[in-house]
Amino acid sequence: MKIEISDLTFTYGEHAVLRGATFSVPTGSFLGIIGPNGSGKTTMLKLMSRLLKPKGGCILLGERALEEFGHKELARTMAVVAQDTTAAYQFTVEDIVLMGRAPYIGRFQSETTEDYRIVHHALEITGCTHLRHRAVTELSGGERQRVMIARALAQEPQVLLLDEPTSHLDIGYQQEILDLVKKLSTVDGLTVVAVLHDLNLAAYYCHELVLLHQGKIKACGLPQEVITVENIEEVYGTRVLVTPHPVFGTPQISLLPGILNRHKEQKAPHLHLIAGGGSGGELMRDLNEAGYYLTTGVLNVGDSDWEAARALDIPVIAEVPFSGITEERHRENLALVTEASAVIVAEIPLGHGNLLNLQAALAAAEAGKPVYLLEEKQQNRDFTGGAGAQLLAAVKEKGIVVREKTRLYQLLKDEYPLETFGVEKKGAAH
Ligand code: ADP
């Protein structure tokens, strides 16, 4: 059964909570409602389940207006799993699920074998059969959540509304419940609308998404149309990366630090990082967060460390992809090394293409500048047939070898005390 919502508005007293929402949910679709806290998601679901009455606009279930449905008729058409499923009474699981049959049982009738068959089926597909004689008050959060879904399914609805069905559940239960819900929509044609706060789960499972922002629809459509860097940064006020799921291609969000690299003008201690091949990303994130002014080089364009430097606004001396360091880039790197208070050498693999980076570190050490060499893994990383190892030994002799990142941070903090520097935040909407 399809749902059509047009120009829906709602206010709590003077407070406008929904301000003209229009979208539709096709039969058998799984639609996720996402948005920050207080954006109106639960209110939307309450309007759709007729727990609240809209101030304006309308909701159609199939071809009919929601308000035209009789009480029992609505319960036979739509089931709702609310957010708070704490059960106060000592009912057994089977009793609770049997309550889902109430819209089908007349006032003076009792349950039929058909009702029990449906209840047992609902218990089975939600994995609750073994719990059926247990008191619902004695269940874990995940078990209770599944029981509430079983009760909703016993209603044999055509539409299922869920408010944060996976909050408080661990990743295993989240997957179990959302797999089930997805199957009910895809295979059995149930129309599902769920409020979800986990954006990655929403993008992974839902056919379509509605993104609410301050009571308005900011975006609506396929996950890749809704989960974009621009939308997420604007609505949540946080810096993110959006990349396709490595297997299925659905958009997935990764957090980026909100704090960008301190600029020179802020007079933070200047550290120059020599990295490459993914050895420097974590260092950049942590040292940037701590408050140092960072520079880095020479890195190849496209290297993951080059990506990390760009994401954090760290000045980087960059060489074209897959090419060795040229004299020109080396000179630029040496200029930054000279400016910096100290040089940090990450655990880089050594090839003929990047030996000049070690030469830069050696030049710094020979000039009396502190050079910290991080060696956590301590495995052979010389791919030059000896020249790299020899150069590394020379740098080590004059530098400071550190075995753990946390130790490095401690040494740096002692040597280069950090004051409170101004913080520049990017992408923050609030
Ligand atoms: P969400 O589910 O997106 O967190 P809600 O729909 O619960 O948002 O709430 C939207 C707005 O309505 C919030 O600003 C909230 O404070 C307000 N609100 C929710 N319930 C009530 C209520 N019963 N009375 C007054 N204001 C409410």
Side-chain angles (χ1 to χ4, degrees), residues 91-240:
F91 289 116
T92 66
V93 166
E94 194 172 69
D95 290 337
I96 293 276
V97 179
L98 200 54
M99 286 174 197
R101 296 304 299 158
Y104 296 91
I105 300 170
R107 222 167 134 199
F108 301 106
Q109 287 175 336
S110 51
E111 302 85 10
T112 62
T113 48
E114 176 65 1
D115 290 319
Y116 276 101
R117 190 193 61 75
I118 291 163
V119 164
H120 290 154
H121 180 64
L123 285 168
E124 196 185 318
I125 61 173
T126 51
C128 292
T129 303
H130 67 291
L131 301 172
R132 67 188 186 281
H133 300 308
R134 297 262 300 274
V136 77
T137 45
E138 290 162 16
L139 301 181
S140 74
E143 289 166 341
R144 203 157 50 227
Q145 195 76 273
R146 298 209 309 268
V147 171
M148 293 308 159
I149 293 177
R151 181 176 74 169
L153 297 181
Q155 279 174 248
E156 296 193 299
Q158 289 165 274
V159 173
L160 178 64
L161 304 184
L162 304 153
D163 197 352
E164 298 203 356
T166 58
S167 54
H168 315 304
L169 301 187
D170 65 39
I171 190 163
Y173 280 130
Q174 288 182 341
Q175 184 182 39
E176 213 170 276
I177 284 185
L178 292 174
D179 277 348
L180 169 69
V181 168
K182 177 89 180 224
K183 181 166 169 276
L184 289 166
S185 73
T186 312
V187 180
D188 302 327
L190 187 67
T191 306
V192 182
V193 177
V195 169
L196 295 167
H197 67 268
D198 186 312
L199 301 177
N200 284 338
L201 280 181
Y204 182 87
Y205 279 103
C206 297
H207 296 121
E208 289 191 44
L209 296 175
V210 165
L211 172 62
L212 282 178
H213 181 41
Q214 297 172 350
K216 283 193 164 170
I217 293 181
K218 169 71 192 163
C220 134
L222 299 173
Q224 56 268 35
E225 294 165 342
V226 174
I227 305 279
T228 64
V229 169
E230 295 72 30
N231 285 342
I232 301 306
E233 288 195 353
E234 187 181 335
V235 170
Y236 290 87
T238 181
R239 295 181 72 226
V240 293

Side-chain angles (χ1 to χ4, degrees), residues 12 15 17 36-43:
Y12 280 114
H15 180 39
V17 175
N37 294 337
S39 58
K41 304 181 297 294
T42 296
T43 305

Side-chain angles (χ1 to χ4, degrees), residues 334-361:
L334 281 174
L336 285 181
V337 163
T338 309
E339 273 177 34
S341 303
V343 174
I344 297 165
V345 183
E347 214 162 0
I348 37 173
L350 303 169
H352 290 293
N354 70 352
L355 278 190
L356 280 177
N357 272 347
L358 269 193
Q359 288 288 4

Side-chain angles (χ1 to χ4, degrees), residues 359-371:
Q359 288 288 4
L362 185 60
E366 282 174 344
K369 186 157 293 195
V371 175

